[in-house]
Amino acid sequence: MKSRVLFAMIGFGVILSAGYSKAGEFKNFGVEAKGIKVEINSELELFHIMAYLANSNYLNNLDFKYKSDINTYFASFKKDQSVQFVKKVLQNYHAHLSINGLFFDRNFKSDTSYMKFLQLDSFGLPNTLMNKSMILDSLRNAVVTFAGVTRFDLFVENHREYYHQKIDVVAGEISGLEMIRDYEKFWGAKKDNYTFIITLLEQDIHAYWYADNGKSSCIFFLSPKFVAGHDAELGNSDTTILGEGKMAAKDYIYYGAAHELGHAFLNPVMDNFTEQIDLIPFKYSTADPSKVSFLCESFLRSLTAYFLIKNRYDEFAQMVILGEKQQGYIYNEFILDLIKDYANNRNKYKRFNDFVPDFLDKLKQYVENY
């Protein structure tokens, strides 16, 4: 039985690969602002459209005209086999945010930290790296084929002005900020490439990072948060007043990126201290799968508060700390104090890496007496 399913899946992948010309014909729209590329990647956008047509549950529930355009244009394609295949893959990929990396990182399929999330039991296949690679090849082929069948290029062309409008909004907000300077100064480290990908249908902002040919790349996937005038927006006010539910787009971008891109700096460092971190007797009830991931998330949520205080949003910062504590991140106030200690002693700590041993020692002592 498994051999017949395997044969069928290989055949599906071959058929799909012949359905459209080249993935290279997907158009990308973008500009550069303050050392950051701001883009809409049409291949990734189509993948999300297919997930939307398949009623995948990780997308946003905002009601705006762009979704109406999708529903109208793709009305007769919701049961297409390519759409159903995307749905099945997403149902069995247990870290939906990371799968975006497939469309950017050519080494994605050789990275077991990402491939481990794809489970093939419902495909009737053994969970081998070769089979997982085959499924992801078929996934990309499904996107390419669907582009050809639906004449996605016409949909893109009809929305060219809309895409540029969204890009210009983000680029305009970035132009008034010193994001990369601030982030790299804090970490005492640099990355080679920063790209902000606007994802109109996703629910959560998130990041992906990878290295290729000795160059480090960080991608921030920026999704809308509000609806105004039948359109999805990044902010709902010119000024952030959290108590009134008001958020400026520039703040949403700045602090969202500070957290998400922070993972690209922090996680690789903490991965080198797993034995020391495992000795810290954390008392936590969050959904984080390990002590390392809990600590990284705690640190970056505390870092958001630090940047807020630095930019004179003290009340906002206090609300963040209290809110995170209610979610189970109970050590964030102390971690914030440690972050301030690091920031105030940069003559001693040139890079965050230099601070980690002292940070973990102090945190361990605090947790033991908590």
Side-chain angles (χ1 to χ4, degrees):
M1 176 61 181
K2 287 185 178 180
S3 62
R4 290 199 297 273
V5 175
L6 178 60
F7 177 78
M9 290 308 306
I10 293 174
F12 184 64
V14 171
I15 291 171
L16 289 176
S17 67
Y20 192 50
S21 52
K22 292 181 180 179
E25 293 191 11
F26 285 107
K27 293 182 179 179
N28 295 331
F29 304 88
V31 298
E32 186 165 325
K34 287 292 183 74
I36 300 169
K37 299 174 185 175
V38 182
E39 299 180 358
I40 287 181
N41 180 292
S42 66
E43 183 181 16
L44 181 66
E45 189 62 23
L46 181 56
F47 171 65
H48 289 155
I49 287 173
M50 295 170 74
Y52 171 74
L53 296 173
N55 295 316
S56 294
N57 59 10
Y58 73 93
L59 302 175
N60 67 57
N61 59 3
L62 304 177
D63 183 14
F64 57 109
K65 185 179 180 299
Y66 183 65
K67 286 184 177 177
S68 299
D69 293 349
I70 292 172
N71 289 331
T72 299
Y73 188 89
F74 296 97
S76 61
F77 299 100
K78 291 187 177 181
K79 300 299 182 181
D80 187 272
Q81 65 170 339
S82 295
V83 170
Q84 297 309 307
F85 184 68
V86 166
K87 179 178 182 177
K88 188 169 185 178
V89 173
L90 287 173
Q91 287 174 334
N92 293 278
Y93 194 92
H94 302 304
H96 61 269
L97 295 179
S98 67
I99 200 170
N100 284 3
L102 175 68
F103 298 89
F104 299 91
D105 181 5
R106 64 178 179 175
N107 298 314
F108 182 90
K109 295 184 299 177
S110 61
D111 190 332
T112 56
S113 64
Y114 295 117
M115 294 295 278
K116 69 181 180 182
F117 295 114
L118 178 59
Q119 298 299 307
L120 304 182
D121 301 290
S122 67
F123 290 92
L125 297 172
N127 283 298
T128 65
L129 189 60
M130 183 180 71
N131 287 342
K132 291 180 180 184
S133 178
M134 180 193 67
I135 292 295
L136 291 182
D137 282 340
S138 291
L139 174 65
R140 293 203 71 171
N141 286 333
V143 176
V144 171
T145 298
F146 194 67
V149 169
T150 62
R151 287 303 306 273
F152 180 59
D153 58 315
L154 298 180
F155 180 86
V156 169
E157 190 59 33
N158 288 337
H159 290 82
R160 174 188 291 270
E161 184 177 344
Y162 180 68
Y163 293 153
H164 279 298
Q165 174 196 345
K166 292 301 182 189
I167 291 167
D168 289 344
V169 168
V170 176
E173 298 293 353
I174 288 175
S175 295
L177 302 169
E178 296 293 345
M179 302 175 69
I180 302 307
R181 183 201 66 184
D182 291 350
Y183 303 159
E184 292 186 341
K185 181 179 179 181
F186 175 84
W187 296 105
K190 295 181 178 295
K191 303 295 182 182
D192 295 300
N193 302 299
Y194 295 91
T195 305
F196 287 12
I197 302 292
I198 301 170
T199 54
L200 295 165
L201 297 177
E202 283 200 300
Q203 176 173 317
D204 300 316
I205 57 174
H206 56 106
Y208 182 89
W209 59 95
Y210 64 98
D212 189 23
N213 288 330
K215 298 287 187 179
S216 56
S217 296
C218 300
I219 301 176
F220 176 44
F221 296 101
L222 179 59
S223 54
K225 187 174 180 64
F226 305 96
V227 172
H230 304 293
D231 197 11
E233 304 289 354
L234 299 172
N236 63 352
S237 173
D238 292 332
T239 305
T240 297
I241 309 175
L242 199 62
E244 298 179 10
K246 295 180 180 180
M247 174 70 76
K250 66 179 179 64
D251 290 333
Y252 178 62
I253 296 170
Y254 182 93
Y255 297 106
H259 178 114
E260 300 302 337
L261 292 180
H263 281 291
F265 291 94
L266 178 64
N267 289 43
V269 175
M270 290 305 188
D271 284 342
N272 295 324
F273 291 88
T274 54
E275 292 184 6
Q276 190 173 346
I277 294 171
D278 283 338
L279 295 176
I280 303 176
F282 290 122
K283 305 176 183 70
Y284 70 94
S285 58
T286 68
D288 298 291
S290 68
K291 287 185 177 182
V292 173
S293 61
F294 171 74
L295 178 54
C296 288
E297 197 61 29
S298 296
F299 186 95
L300 291 172
R301 291 170 187 239
S302 304
L303 182 62
T304 298
Y306 167 77
F307 277 122
L308 285 167
I309 293 170
K310 185 179 179 183
N311 293 319
R312 300 181 181 178
Y313 279 119
D314 294 57
E315 184 178 351
F316 192 172
Q318 190 59 34
M319 293 178 69
V320 167
I321 289 291
L322 291 175
E324 304 295 10
K325 190 171 185 177
Q326 292 174 356
Q327 294 185 51
Y329 295 98
I330 57 179
Y331 308 109
N332 285 17
E333 280 186 285
F334 183 71
I335 292 174
L336 175 58
D337 288 338
L338 293 179
I339 290 174
K340 292 177 181 178
D341 182 48
Y342 164 68
N344 292 330
N345 290 280
R346 293 303 298 273
N347 289 333
K348 179 180 179 182
Y349 306 112
K350 300 298 184 184
R351 305 174 303 157
F352 178 75
N353 302 42
D354 304 326
F355 178 62
V356 174
D358 288 347
F359 168 77
L360 294 177
D361 284 342
K362 293 176 181 179
L363 182 60
K364 183 173 183 291
Q365 292 175 25
Y366 176 81
V367 172
E368 287 174 342
N369 296 302
Y370 184 79

